[in-house]
């Protein structure tokens, strides 16, 4: 991590003083915004150091840790003050003097390795904080953080105001994108310009929020519809980048939960989308810490093929790319197609060859739907009955005039329904509508 940070000289300093890159940007940022001492709720486990002492002529080893009392000092009059200049490093387990690190102080508290001699901690700290070098560094840091004494104070204030302004803009944009994406709504429209009635949901939501938010209204008035080359964070590229970042974060969270749960099951199915592109949906099922089983959709995979061999390669590739061990797979569920459920060469058989513990369970919804459909097709009376329902729907729906006559008879009641080729429960809805509107349908037919 330290190597990655050092390769980025303009990165903002974090909470660990051992990883700071000392330059003017770091000095300005910490002098203006302060730093974290890393003492709240910290047990200082990294500060463990091996020491030795002689007891009755024998050298014995023991361990010392950073005592929290070093972050306080007691004055001559008995008053206790905090040593606000100190910071603890969680990576090295050492103590650092922040002003001396920033402004080239000369002591062990300002070195790259830090201070870790806990046996003489109080003694060394007292000498350090009374030294002239330390006092000069503290004074230099205080002056650098005081805007009223800086030559570039106007530039600094302007920079801070700009940063706050654009953060406020992005906070509103992020809230809109998150709300739309969490509900599966599209963001684009046919003409994504502010003030256009054909703009998408993203522009529409921003305009709605702007009616009650003077800040956003002012920003839209000033920067909207400026085109390329003008920064506004209201363009399509902005929300697409946010969508990708949020999606990546969601995927990382799901993978993290799966790894924490260790054992998981997979659910795989493919279906063509609106653009007639065959997409394979990949779903994980696992148990949370509280014992609740959850299912999480990970992503779509386009054009993976329908052969069991191709599907198995895709499954193994997805698990490998997310660092998930196939040996932790305890279940797999697909539909009853032969390429998925085949006993010898199906997808479930290929996965079982690699992981015998991955028990195959056929999808109960698919199985129940097939049972109901096959049972009805075996009965000629049932088949004639459902054909009658479908023919009634086709008869009325194929003509706007006939549908108008039917609607006049129904007077807002439940209308007739069509059958579904894949969902058996849709036949219940169709039967219910026919039974409920029997007299009205007879009257409409008699009218013709």
């Amino acid at each position: 991590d330290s190597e990655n940070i050092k390769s980025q000289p303009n990165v903002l300093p974090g909470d660990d003083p051992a990883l700071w890159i000392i330059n003017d940007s770091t000095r300005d940022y910490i002098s203006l915004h302060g730093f974290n001492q890393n003492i709240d709720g910290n047990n200082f486990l990294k500060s463990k150091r091996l020491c030795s002492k002689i007891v009755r002529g024998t050298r014995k080893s023991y361990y010392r840790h950073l005592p929290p009392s070093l972050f306080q000092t007691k004055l001559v009059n008995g008053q206790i003050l905090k040593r606000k200049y100190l910071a603890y490093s969680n990576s090295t387990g050492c103590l650092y003097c922040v002003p001396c690190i920033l402004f080239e102080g000369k002591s062990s508290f300002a070195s790259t390795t830090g201070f870790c001699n806990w046996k003489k901690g109080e003694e060394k700290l007292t000498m350090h904080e009374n030294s002239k070098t330390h006092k000069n560094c503290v004074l230099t840091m205080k002056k650098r953080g005081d805007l009223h004494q800086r030559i570039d104070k106007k530039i600094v204030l302007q920079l801070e105001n700009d940063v706050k302004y654009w953060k406020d803009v992005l906070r509103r944009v992020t809230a809109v994108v998150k709300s739309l994406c969490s509900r599966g709504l599209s963001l684009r429209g046919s003409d994504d310009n502010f003030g256009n009635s054909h703009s998408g949901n993203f522009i529409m939501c921003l305009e709605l929020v702007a009616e009650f938010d003077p800040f956003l209204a002012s920003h839209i008035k000033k920067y909207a519809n400026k085109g390329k080359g003008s920064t506004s964070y209201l363009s399509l590229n902005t929300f697409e980048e946010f969508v990708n970042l949020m999606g990546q974060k969601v995927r990382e969270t799901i993978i993290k939960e799966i790894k924490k749960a260790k054992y998981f099951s997979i659910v795989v199915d493919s279906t063509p989308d609106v653009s007639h592109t065959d997409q394979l949906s990949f779903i994980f099922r696992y148990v949370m810490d509280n014992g609740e089983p959850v299912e999480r959709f990970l992503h779509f995979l386009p054009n993976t093929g329908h052969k069991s061999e191709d599907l198995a390669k895709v499954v193994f590739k997805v698990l490998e790319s997310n660092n998930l061990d196939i040996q932790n797979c305890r279940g797999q569920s697909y539909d009853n197609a032969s390429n998925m459920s085949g006993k010898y060469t199906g997808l479930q058989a290929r996965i079982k060859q690699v992981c015998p513990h991955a028990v195959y369970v056929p999808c109960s919804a698919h199985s129940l739907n097939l049972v109901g459909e096959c049972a009805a097709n075996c009965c000629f009376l049932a088949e004639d009955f459902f054909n009658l329902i479908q023919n009634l729907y086709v008869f009325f729906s194929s003509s706007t005039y006939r549908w108008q006559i039917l609607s006049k008879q129904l007077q807002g009641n439940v209308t007739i329904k069509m059958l579904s080729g894949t969902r058996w429960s849709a036949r219940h809805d169709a039967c219910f509508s026919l039974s409920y509107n029997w007299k009205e349908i007879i009257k409409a037919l008699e009218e013709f």
Side-chain angles (χ1 to χ4, degrees):
D1 292 342
S2 60
E3 290 180 0
N4 292 335
I5 293 176
K6 288 178 181 178
S7 64
Q8 303 173 12
N10 295 324
V11 71
L12 292 178
D15 292 336
D16 197 328
L19 303 179
W20 289 348
I21 301 168
I22 306 303
N23 53 28
D24 287 337
S25 299
T26 304
R27 294 185 182 100
D28 287 338
Y29 185 86
I30 295 176
S31 298
L32 288 169
H33 300 91
F35 59 93
N36 188 357
Q37 289 187 284
N38 301 320
I39 57 177
D40 294 334
N42 202 328
N43 51 15
F44 306 117
L45 291 178
K46 280 276 188 176
S47 65
K48 183 179 179 180
R49 296 294 185 271
L50 180 63
C51 303
S52 62
K53 62 180 179 181
I54 297 176
V55 179
R56 296 178 182 178
T58 305
R59 183 176 294 277
K60 293 187 176 181
S61 300
Y62 65 100
Y63 291 100
R64 283 183 181 269
H65 290 79
L66 166 63
S69 59
L70 291 184
F71 288 93
Q72 295 179 341
T73 182
K74 190 174 183 180
L75 302 181
V76 180
N77 59 1
Q79 184 182 2
I80 296 178
L81 296 177
K82 292 183 178 180
R83 288 180 167 129
K84 297 182 179 181
Y85 58 86
L86 291 177
Y88 173 73
S89 169
N90 288 312
S91 62
T92 63
C94 297
L95 210 55
Y96 294 84
C97 173
V98 174
C100 293
I101 290 177
L102 295 177
F103 300 100
E104 300 177 355
K106 296 179 180 179
S107 74
S108 55
F109 292 94
S111 64
T112 54
T113 55
F115 177 82
C116 60
N117 186 2
W118 311 131
K119 184 177 181 180
K120 298 183 179 181
E122 188 63 40
E123 176 188 346
K124 295 291 184 180
L125 268 175
T126 303
M127 291 174 57
H128 174 75
E129 62 190 4
N130 289 324
S131 66
K132 185 178 179 181
T133 306
H134 171 74
K135 293 178 180 178
N136 289 336
C137 291
V138 172
L139 186 61
T140 304
M141 181 175 172
K142 183 174 178 58
K143 288 181 178 179
R144 191 152 186 154
D146 190 354
L147 289 177
H148 297 288
Q149 297 184 11
R150 293 184 57 153
I151 299 175
D152 58 346
K153 64 179 181 179
K154 291 185 178 180
I155 298 176
V156 174
L157 286 172
Q158 182 182 353
L159 180 62
E160 288 191 340
N161 290 334
D162 287 346
V163 170
K164 183 179 182 303
Y165 178 87
W166 292 111
K167 278 186 177 180
D168 290 339
V169 172
L170 288 174
R171 192 174 291 115
R172 289 158 173 80
V173 171
T174 307
V176 169
V177 173
K178 185 171 68 174
S179 299
L180 292 174
C181 291
S182 62
R183 288 158 181 81
L185 299 175
S186 61
L187 281 78
R188 286 194 175 192
S190 58
D191 188 358
D192 288 307
N193 285 318
F194 285 88
N196 193 315
S197 59
H198 299 288
S199 60
N201 291 327
F202 175 69
I203 302 295
M204 180 270 294
C205 288
L206 288 177
E207 290 177 333
L208 178 62
V209 174
E211 291 185 14
F212 307 95
D213 185 356
F215 172 81
L216 185 58
S218 173
H219 179 75
I220 291 175
K221 184 178 179 181
K222 185 177 180 181
Y223 292 99
N225 302 333
K226 287 287 181 101
K228 293 183 178 180
S230 175
T231 303
S232 65
Y233 294 121
L234 303 174
S235 65
L236 305 180
N237 294 331
T238 299
F239 73 67
E240 285 179 350
E241 187 173 353
F242 272 117
V243 169
N244 291 330
L245 290 172
M246 290 178 183
Q248 183 62 31
K249 183 65 178 177
V250 170
R251 282 193 293 271
E252 289 174 357
T253 303
I254 293 173
I255 297 301
K256 187 177 180 181
E257 288 180 354
I258 296 173
K259 289 180 178 178
K260 190 175 182 181
K262 189 175 181 180
Y263 301 111
F264 59 87
S265 299
I266 58 174
V267 181
V268 176
D269 195 13
S270 64
T271 183
D273 62 4
V274 193
S275 62
H276 306 289
T277 302
D278 192 67
Q279 292 194 122
L280 184 74
S281 55
F282 210 103
I283 300 170
F284 285 93
R285 182 176 174 88
Y286 52 93
V287 181
M288 302 289 286
D289 287 341
N290 58 3
E292 178 189 2
V294 293
E295 284 186 1
R296 295 284 186 263
F297 166 77
L298 190 66
H299 55 195
F300 284 120
L301 297 168
N303 296 321
T304 55
H306 291 282
K307 293 182 179 180
S308 61
E309 184 179 2
D310 297 332
L311 293 170
K313 287 180 180 178
V314 170
V315 170
F316 295 143
K317 185 177 180 181
V318 169
L319 295 177
E320 184 181 357
S321 62
N322 292 290
N323 294 322
L324 296 174
D325 190 357
I326 184 64
Q327 297 301 326
N328 293 328
C329 182
R330 290 297 179 268
Q332 44 180 331
S333 181
Y334 322 114
D335 58 22
N336 293 281
S338 59
N339 63 332
M340 308 295 278
S341 61
K343 185 176 180 180
Y344 300 105
T345 59
L347 175 60
Q348 64 94 10
R350 294 179 183 276
I351 291 181
K352 269 192 171 183
Q353 290 175 359
V354 180
C355 180
H357 303 294
V359 179
Y360 169 63
V361 180
C363 176
S364 58
H366 280 84
S367 301
L368 184 61
N369 192 72
L370 287 173
V371 169
E373 190 174 348
C374 292
N377 289 338
C378 292
C379 177
F380 294 111
L381 290 176
E383 191 167 358
D384 291 342
F385 171 70
F386 287 121
N387 286 337
L388 172 64
I389 295 179
Q390 183 66 16
N391 290 335
L392 278 174
Y393 175 80
V394 173
F395 175 76
F396 284 109
S397 63
S398 60
S399 169
T400 55
Y401 172 70
R402 290 196 289 266
W403 191 267
Q404 185 180 4
I405 297 297
L406 177 64
S407 300
K408 186 173 68 174
Q409 292 292 339
L410 295 178
Q411 295 181 350
N413 292 331
V414 180
T415 186
I416 59 174
K417 306 285 187 180
M418 69 176 292
L419 302 181
S420 173
T422 56
R423 237 171 13 112
W424 180 258
S425 60
R427 305 197 179 205
H428 168 268
D429 299 335
C431 292
F432 175 77
S433 65
L434 178 64
S435 173
Y436 189 82
N437 301 308
W438 179 260
K439 293 180 180 179
E440 289 79 4
I441 294 173
I442 295 298
K443 287 180 182 180
L445 291 173
E446 286 176 346
E447 187 170 338
F448 294 121

